[in-house]
Amino acid sequence: MEMFRFGNIEYLWALLLIPAFTVIFIWSRILRKKALHKFGNLSLLSELMPFSSKNRPILKFTILMLALAFFIAGMARPQFGSKLKTVKREGVELIIALDVSNSMMAEDIEPNRLERAKMAISRLVDRLSNDEIGLIVFAGDAYTQLPITSDYNSAKLFLNSINTQIVSKQGTAIGKAINLGIRSFTTSDRGNKAIIVITDGENHEDDAVSAAQNAAKEGIIVHTIGMGLPQGSPIPIISYGQRDYLKDRNGNVVITKLDEPMLEQIAAAGGGIYVRANNAQVGLDNLFDEINKMQKDEIESRIYSEYDDQFQYLFIAGLFLLLLEFVILERKNKYLKNIKLFSAKLG
């Protein structure tokens, strides 16, 4: 359910003009300062130009750029949903359970396991149409990042915010993630639901196979994607700006390896398939084929059918800022320049 959207979102690319204009403005200020140096000492020149202001041109430029930003945003036609309707469509419900433990920062899959998994999930979301998706993150604990929804824009927004700090307790509790996924589906009917666990498989916390079996009993399929390579890789860390690798208590570099047997067992117990990711592909294409084979049940959801344009408010704000920029002079007012409202006269 998408409450807010832009009618012409492509116009937002024009916002790139603002940093371009800012660079030009800063460069022109530098050239101006160099030119003044050629005439003489700046402190002496300031005595000859008592009404000249260094800050007002910056203020005027800032206001002008804000006005431009409002106009561009207005041209993109921001819209808010004004009328809800209930629609019924056939699709499946998917829960993505993504491992965010420190081992997912290993770089045996470029740029690293976690970022590659996020890119693959984003591509999967782009291919969904009538389906619903939810996001779970897990390490030593499991948490719902996004309840199951048909709002794909929100799914991608929440996906972008995922990192290894989002779950404070370290570990890899795959079983907790699967159990949370079982409880996260919205409807009571079974047969059109699947959990996709994306992890390196180093489960140290619980019985993930039993959790997958419980899911299968509920009619929920559990697929697994293995992120990493069997030969393993060190876990990079950044400490005081220096790159290093995670070490154990004895000072040895920790090597995190893909645990394929574990992930194969989980997928088999959950009635799903196991796919190993590599640097060429993550394997969601194979899973998408499996998803398309699933029974499509009727999913009822509420969506906005009508939207109201709100661009006029941004244009009004932009016009106000243009007027403000116009009335602010670059030079100091000779009648007001000596007034100091907050100075105290000492007696």
Side-chain angles (χ1 to χ4, degrees), residues 251-265:
N252 300 315
V253 174
V254 175
I255 301 297
T256 172
K257 298 180 180 180
L258 173 64
D259 189 348
E260 285 194 291
M262 169 62 72
L263 295 180
E264 289 170 347
Q265 292 176 41

Side-chain angles (χ1 to χ4, degrees), residues 113-302:
R113 297 174 182 177
L114 180 59
E115 289 303 316
R116 192 62 179 272
K118 288 166 61 175
M119 289 187 284
I121 295 170
S122 180
R123 289 196 297 270
L124 173 64
V125 172
D126 289 337
R127 296 177 64 175
L128 299 178
S129 54
N130 295 326
D131 310 299
E132 294 187 329
I133 189 171
L135 290 173
I136 289 174
V137 293
F138 69 94
D141 281 318
Y143 300 97
T144 299
Q145 176 76 355
L146 176 70
I148 197 161
T149 179
S150 58
D151 186 349
Y152 302 145
N153 288 333
S154 293
K156 296 182 78 169
L157 183 65
F158 278 89
L159 179 66
N160 289 334
S161 66
I162 292 176
N163 55 58
T164 55
Q165 283 77 48
I166 204 167
V167 178
S168 58
K169 183 180 178 181
Q170 279 300 307
T172 309
I174 299 175
K176 286 184 180 179
I178 294 174
N179 288 329
L180 178 58
I182 294 172
R183 301 192 301 269
S184 298
F185 290 107
T186 57
T187 61
S188 58
D189 297 331
R190 305 299 180 186
N192 69 327
K193 295 170 175 58
I195 299 173
I196 301 175
V197 180
I198 304 179
T199 177
D200 53 30
E202 291 188 322
N203 190 68
H204 308 296
E205 308 296 326
D206 51 23
D207 190 348
V209 174
S210 294
Q213 290 172 342
N214 292 334
K217 291 176 183 177
E218 296 286 338
I220 301 170
I221 298 173
V222 179
H223 302 292
T224 56
I225 295 180
M227 301 300 298
L229 301 178
Q231 60 267 31
S233 175
I235 303 171
I237 57 173
I238 305 298
S239 178
Y240 301 103
Q242 299 295 319
R243 180 184 173 89
D244 200 356
Y245 293 99
L246 185 67
K247 296 180 176 65
D248 60 20
R249 294 178 179 178
N250 298 321
N252 300 315
V253 174
V254 175
I255 301 297
T256 172
K257 298 180 180 180
L258 173 64
D259 189 348
E260 285 194 291
M262 169 62 72
L263 295 180
E264 289 170 347
Q265 292 176 41
I266 295 171
I273 65 169
Y274 163 70
V275 180
R276 186 215 289 182
N278 55 44
N279 279 308
Q281 59 179 352
V282 174
L284 280 178
D285 288 342
N286 295 336
L287 279 182
F288 195 78
D289 293 337
E290 293 296 318
I291 291 167
N292 284 332
K293 295 176 185 177
M294 293 172 61
Q295 174 187 342
K296 307 289 184 178
D297 283 359
E298 191 174 78
I299 297 175
E300 185 177 288
S301 59
R302 290 167 63 86

Side-chain angles (χ1 to χ4, degrees), residues 8 15 18 30 54 81 98 160 235 285 304 336:
N8 300 105
L15 290 172
I18 294 177
I30 293 172
K54 293 188 295 183
L98 179 58
N160 289 334
I235 303 171
D285 288 342
Y304 285 99
L336 302 178

Side-chain angles (χ1 to χ4, degrees), residues 6 12 69-78 310-312 314-315:
F6 285 101
L12 292 181
F70 277 117
F71 283 129
I72 292 173
M75 290 170 59
R77 293 177 56 213
Q310 305 294 330
F311 63 87
Q312 60 271 20
L314 295 176
F315 283 161

